Amino acid sequence: MGERRRIGETGDLVFAGLCRGAGGFVLLLLGAIIVTLFIGGLPAFRAFGVEFVWGLNWDPVEGREEFGAGVAIFGTLVSSILAIIFAVPVAFGIAVFLTELAPPWLRRPVGTAIELLAAIPSIIYGMWGLFVIVPFIQYNIQLAFGEQLAALPLVGFLFQSNNFAGTSLFAASLVLGIMILPFIAATMRDVFSQVPPVYKESAYGLGATRWEVMRGVVIPYTRISVAGGIMLGLGRALGETMAVTFVIGNANRIATSLFDPTNTIASVIAMEFPESLSGSLQQSALLAIGFLLFVISFLVLATSRWLLRPRLK
């Protein structure tokens, strides 16, 4: 018995050591990525200073090299926020349907279909967006209603554009919204299903309607986890590369209209990094905006982790 206990204790120590090593490896890998990006982007930060963050010029031509991350940061943030605006209402409807309205025989197939959407490669979303979403927006929204929307007071400038190529900030945001939809919907479905049935039954017993139960019981009970799930979807949207590159237009300018082309940090890196010379200022600028994207994504995911923390205890 004593020898068996010693063997068991040795196994526990080995297992604990492996787990600590795995955790330490993740932290080491994360730190290595941060340091690599920062060191690689240091020449750009030194050359352009703090103005690199909000600078609007991006000219990689040799002899005129001037770089600024302002347009890419703007495109990244705006496209991601619009994607959240598109995705959250639909995700909420899907989650309510799966937890409150769908018959038991339909919940599993629909839930599985939603989860399968998350497994589709991003390049497939990009190709589908280019051949389906872009023409649909161009002919059925921009050309059909563009002039009427542009005439609206206060917000008309958002729809006034001379770009008729189809690729635009709006198209990229819509494709991103479809991509992050399954992540947010799955999170909402899981947290809605965790609400104790007695809470909802009590509300129904008092005469509340289904919507009143959702608004007064389910949403208040799950609001922290729902907010965390939305933030996770936002983090997914911030770093998307290929799908956005296909449909955003890749123009280095601030989009003053939803139908204007622009770019994002990820699309700029995807388009220019293969052609950049090793050790050049252009490559340093690309590594610098990669570091900025890492910082933005880290802040978003850290915020979502903080929002989810009360439910994880």
Side-chain angles (χ1 to χ4, degrees):
M1 288 294 295
E3 186 175 352
R4 181 178 299 178
R5 185 178 295 109
R6 285 194 297 271
I7 294 175
E9 291 174 354
T10 302
D12 289 341
L13 292 174
V14 172
F15 178 74
L18 291 175
C19 290
R20 292 192 185 96
F25 174 75
V26 170
L27 294 177
L28 182 64
L29 183 62
L30 184 64
I33 294 173
I34 296 174
V35 172
T36 300
L37 290 174
F38 180 76
I39 293 176
L42 199 56
F45 289 128
R46 286 174 176 169
F48 304 106
V50 181
E51 294 183 2
F52 175 80
V53 177
W54 58 77
L56 302 182
N57 294 326
W58 188 276
D59 189 358
V61 177
E62 188 175 355
R64 299 185 307 182
E65 292 178 314
E66 186 176 1
F67 301 99
V71 174
I73 292 176
F74 174 84
T76 300
L77 295 176
V78 174
S79 62
S80 299
I81 292 172
L82 288 175
I84 289 293
I85 294 174
F86 292 148
V88 168
V90 180
F92 177 78
I94 292 172
V96 172
F97 174 75
L98 291 177
T99 56
E100 302 293 332
L101 301 176
W105 61 269
L106 188 60
R107 291 178 183 176
R108 184 177 294 275
V110 174
T112 302
I114 294 298
E115 292 170 355
L116 285 176
L117 286 175
I120 299 177
S122 62
I123 194 170
I124 301 300
Y125 277 110
M127 296 171 63
W128 174 72
L130 181 63
F131 291 112
V132 178
I133 297 297
V134 167
F136 176 83
I137 293 173
Q138 183 179 9
Y139 293 109
N140 297 284
I141 299 179
Q142 184 177 0
L143 295 179
F145 304 104
E147 293 184 2
Q148 293 85 344
L149 294 173
L152 294 174
L154 300 179
V155 296
F157 70 95
L158 293 174
F159 308 99
Q160 188 174 7
S161 175
N162 295 322
N163 171 52
F164 297 102
T167 53
S168 63
L169 175 64
F170 185 86
S173 302
L174 187 57
V175 171
L176 275 178
I178 296 172
M179 290 186 64
I180 65 177
L181 174 63
F183 297 95
I184 301 176
T187 301
M188 288 187 177
R189 179 198 60 186
D190 292 341
V191 298
F192 286 174
S193 63
Q194 297 301 314
V195 177
V198 66
Y199 289 4
K200 295 186 287 185
E201 292 169 0
S202 300
Y204 285 128
L206 293 174
T209 63
R210 196 181 300 274
W211 167 242
E212 288 172 338
V213 170
M214 290 299 302
R215 184 183 63 185
V217 177
V218 176
I219 295 178
Y221 187 85
T222 61
R223 65 184 184 278
I224 295 177
S225 296
V226 167
I230 294 172
M231 296 296 286
L232 289 174
L234 178 59
R236 175 74 172 84
L238 287 170
E240 180 50 46
T241 304
M242 294 310 301
V244 174
T245 304
F246 270 89
V247 298
I248 201 168
N250 301 299
N252 189 63
R253 63 177 183 177
I254 296 290
T256 57
S257 166
L258 293 176
F259 300 125
D260 283 346
T262 184
N263 58 30
T264 65
I265 294 176
S267 67
V268 171
I269 294 174
M271 292 291 291
E272 297 192 13
F273 199 87
E275 300 177 357
S276 63
L277 298 177
S278 179
S280 65
L281 187 59
Q282 180 187 8
Q283 187 177 87
S284 177
L286 292 171
L287 291 170
I289 62 173
F291 173 77
L292 294 176
L293 178 60
F294 188 95
V295 171
I296 295 171
S297 300
F298 177 81
L299 291 176
V300 170
L301 294 177
T303 302
S304 67
R305 182 69 180 179
W306 179 77
L307 290 173
L308 285 168
R309 188 176 180 181
R311 295 297 181 201
L312 296 176
K313 289 181 178 181

